[in-house]
Amino acid sequence: MNRNIILAACAALPFLTASLPARADADYRAKAIAMIKKDFKPRGQASLDRLAEDGVQAICNRTGNHPPEAIAKALEADQLATVEWPADGKLMGDWKKGEKLAQSGRGFTWRDKPGLPVGGNCYNCHQISPKEVAFGTIGPSLLNFGKLRGNTPETQKYVYSKIYNAKAYNLCSEMPRFGRVGALAPEQIKDLVALLLDPESPVNK
Amino acid sequence: MKIRHTLGALCAFAVAGSLCAQTADNIDHAKAAKEFEKFRAEMEDSNPAELNELKGEELWKAKRGPKNVSLAESCDLGLGIGKLEGAYVQMPRYFKDADAVMDAERRIVWCMVEKQGFKFADIAKKPFQSPNDSSAPDITNLVMYVAGHSRGKPFAVNLKDPKVREVYEIGKEVAHYRAGPYDFACSTCHGVDGKRIRMQDLPNINSKEGATKAVMGWPAWRMTGGVALTLQWRMNDCFRQQRFPEPKYASDTITALLTYMTANANGVVYKGPGIKR
């Protein structure tokens, strides 16, 4: 865990407690957390430490996913600082591998084998290639993503870092922090960047 | 209770199986969902879950366990010993003898332990049917039987009871608690209207309509794997997909979630046990 995140979270908590929205009742929340902590058992790779909130989760939980803007901005900057860029400096991989990765929703459950590679889970929530009609709608449609934006170095950096740590751009985004938590390796993220930005990818055809 | 058209139903399931396999590929989503709804409506009168209800009836009435008593003569589901009509839709409720709010499955387990002398650990060892099991656990059949006696009655979780109200409020917090490697909470998928994962529609459990979709029809005979399952299982599998550790069987956290969801569906007439994809 990034020390900056913890420090920022600790500094923010008294302020947040004073401005809690109606939903996040502190008393019931405390009881819920105590209940959760006693009611789960470890299974497979899903160990009990997964029940604890990290700084970002705690702030999103306490504010009903709507933290005060100043705090969100500061913590998003901390999250962006966690992004590890590929050693070779290249951010675009193979869109065909990216497409395969986007199809799999596996990984990290108590039934899955520990370790990489896990799935990208992309189609669970996003429309991506027009050829795949079985897509979810929790996230925005990514059809024509590169066609609309081009694949400039800035766009590549944005997409890579967004997949690496979605909380760098929207602190309480529903999207997992795939690179940050070690679900996707840099090479895999590069393949997903290519899926979205490569002109040859079906996304942009 | 009698079994209606069960053979016909089982044959029809073969057709439905191939329909479902296709939906994953390229049938238009809305069309596929409509087809399934049509199929389910046709099958509702001949649900294989009726077999589970029949087994549940035998189990409810039989003298069993180390104490050799029946649940019919010892188990109070909130309306008096052995009284079943409408009991399921009024749970979770507070039970003074256990000093706890309990959902239906947890209450039946409590009766099996306290009244019949079964060991909780034995029941909790394998509480859910797997696709390779030839039959459902006794507890599933009992829940099916009990739930069947609330068909046609509205959900009526008593939020005026302060103990139930508190568990409801805790359940709301549990539903919104984000943690784990993917930062998921129940509400990540079930927090807004009109969303879906892949082809699967996601009810918003915070709304009356969504909560109704989430609890309606459970316990259910599930076409995936051909198994009979309960809401305890549904919560267990949600936490798995949330990348959480495994919830303990019949625990407070599960009761809290079921209290929240069921009470949000209060007033809606229960139809079940049902059929699920």
Side-chain angles (χ1 to χ4, degrees):
Chain A
M1 158 71 57
N2 183 320
R3 186 143 41 110
N4 285 340
I5 299 169
I6 297 174
L7 287 176
C10 292
L13 285 185
F15 173 66
L16 289 171
T17 313
S19 62
L20 284 171
R23 194 198 64 70
D25 183 286
D27 184 34
Y28 290 131
R29 196 183 112 82
K31 285 179 178 168
I33 291 174
M35 197 182 266
I36 286 168
K37 291 207 163 140
K38 78 173 175 58
D39 279 346
F40 283 77
K41 54 189 179 184
R43 184 167 169 189
Q45 62 177 308
S47 51
L48 291 181
D49 58 0
R50 292 183 175 194
L51 298 172
E53 304 162 293
D54 78 350
V56 168
Q57 291 166 343
I59 283 173
C60 294
N61 284 340
R62 280 173 188 238
T63 60
N65 289 324
H66 294 291
E69 201 181 337
I71 291 168
K73 290 287 166 237
L75 292 180
E76 284 163 10
D78 282 346
Q79 293 294 300
L80 188 59
T82 68
V83 175
E84 290 169 25
W85 302 96
D88 64 3
K90 288 186 182 141
L91 298 180
M92 295 258 283
D94 179 346
W95 69 261
K96 285 177 187 159
K97 285 186 190 163
E99 168 64 17
K100 274 187 194 143
L101 195 56
Q103 288 288 350
S104 170
R106 287 186 190 285
F108 273 140
T109 77
W110 67 59
R111 264 197 225 147
D112 297 311
K113 278 186 190 155
L116 296 176
V118 307
N121 287 263
C122 310
Y123 279 110
N124 285 3
C125 301
H126 294 285
Q127 183 178 27
I128 309 174
S129 164
K131 288 176 186 161
E132 175 56 75
V133 297
F135 60 86
T137 58
I138 294 173
S141 170
L142 305 174
L143 271 187
N144 293 322
F145 191 94
K147 206 173 181 177
L148 295 168
R149 293 168 183 78
N151 61 355
T152 62
E154 288 71 30
T155 308
Q156 291 180 27
K157 277 181 82 172
Y158 165 71
V159 175
Y160 184 94
S161 52
K162 175 78 180 180
I163 298 169
Y164 191 97
N165 188 340
K167 271 68 175 180
Y169 297 96
N170 171 7
L171 193 69
C172 299
S173 165
E174 308 290 17
M175 182 164 156
R177 295 169 277 182
F178 286 106
R180 178 81 183 103
V181 299
L184 296 174
E187 285 305 313
Q188 294 175 300
I189 298 178
K190 283 157 80 164
D191 293 337
L192 291 171
V193 174
L195 176 65
L196 291 183
L197 295 183
D198 195 316
E200 295 307 309
S201 158
V203 172
N204 303 313
K205 283 286 180 187
Chain B
M1 186 179 33
K2 64 184 169 68
I3 307 175
R4 289 154 292 186
H5 323 300
T6 302
L7 263 183
L10 290 175
C11 297
F13 280 120
V15 179
S18 65
L19 174 83
C20 286
Q22 284 177 54
T23 60
D25 294 319
N26 51 19
I27 289 186
D28 171 68
H29 173 251
K31 192 180 158 202
K34 212 170 143 194
E35 285 293 308
F36 179 76
E37 286 312 317
K38 203 173 109 193
F39 165 76
R40 178 152 64 191
E42 281 168 8
M43 286 307 111
E44 222 136 54
D45 283 342
S46 51
N47 186 346
E50 288 182 12
L51 292 167
N52 299 94
E53 285 186 55
L54 281 174
K55 283 183 196 161
E57 182 175 13
E58 283 172 29
L59 291 164
W60 181 261
K61 291 175 177 169
K63 290 184 187 298
R64 300 174 72 230
K67 294 182 183 170
N68 198 39
V69 294
S70 73
L71 292 169
E73 64 187 324
S74 67
C75 187
D76 182 353
L77 298 176
L79 304 176
I81 288 173
K83 295 247 182 337
L84 295 168
E85 300 301 318
Y88 184 80
V89 287
Q90 293 178 59
M91 287 187 272
R93 72 187 298 148
Y94 176 71
F95 291 93
K96 205 172 174 193
D97 53 10
D99 189 25
V101 173
M102 295 174 153
D103 58 272
E105 182 157 0
R106 184 173 172 186
R107 180 62 182 179
I108 299 167
V109 170
W110 186 88
C111 286
M112 288 171 74
V113 172
E114 297 298 323
K115 305 297 178 187
Q116 295 183 303
F118 288 107
K119 287 204 167 58
F120 177 79
D122 293 336
I123 302 169
K125 206 177 284 169
K126 196 176 186 311
F128 311 126
Q129 186 179 5
S130 305
N132 47 1
D133 296 337
S134 57
S135 62
D138 289 348
I139 180 63
T140 300
N141 292 328
L142 283 161
V143 174
M144 288 274 194
Y145 174 64
V146 169
H149 285 78
S150 282
R151 255 192 298 270
K153 295 185 166 58
F155 286 111
V157 176
N158 182 14
L159 289 178
K160 285 185 184 144
D161 182 331
K163 303 218 185 224
V164 178
R165 183 86 216 186
E166 172 164 48
V167 170
Y168 172 90
E169 295 295 341
I170 292 171
K172 188 196 291 182
E173 292 295 327
V174 172
H176 290 89
Y177 183 77
R178 300 180 76 173
Y182 283 179
D183 313 323
F184 289 163
C186 305
S187 61
T188 303
C189 295
H190 297 282
V192 278
D193 295 336
K195 298 285 183 184
R196 59 176 220 247
I197 276 189
R198 286 283 189 161
M199 285 299 201
Q200 187 67 51
D201 289 323
L202 300 165
N204 175 6
I205 57 172
N206 305 297
S207 73
K208 182 166 187 152
E209 192 194 346
T212 299
K213 273 188 188 151
V215 296
M216 188 60 82
W218 291 101
W221 192 84
R222 198 165 183 247
M223 281 159 48
T224 311
V227 282
L229 294 165
T230 62
L231 274 168
Q232 284 277 334
W233 172 83
R234 180 61 266 181
M235 298 298 103
N236 176 285
D237 203 52
C238 267
F239 278 117
R240 179 182 67 80
Q241 294 178 72
Q242 206 173 319
R243 275 73 182 178
F244 269 39
E246 186 174 26
K248 291 178 187 165
Y249 180 61
S251 60
D252 290 334
T253 299
I254 301 299
T255 298
L257 271 178
L258 293 181
T259 305
Y260 179 61
M261 287 163 47
T262 313
N264 283 348
N266 267 355
V268 178
V269 172
Y270 175 67
K271 298 186 290 178
I275 296 175
K276 297 283 181 185
R277 228 181 272 215

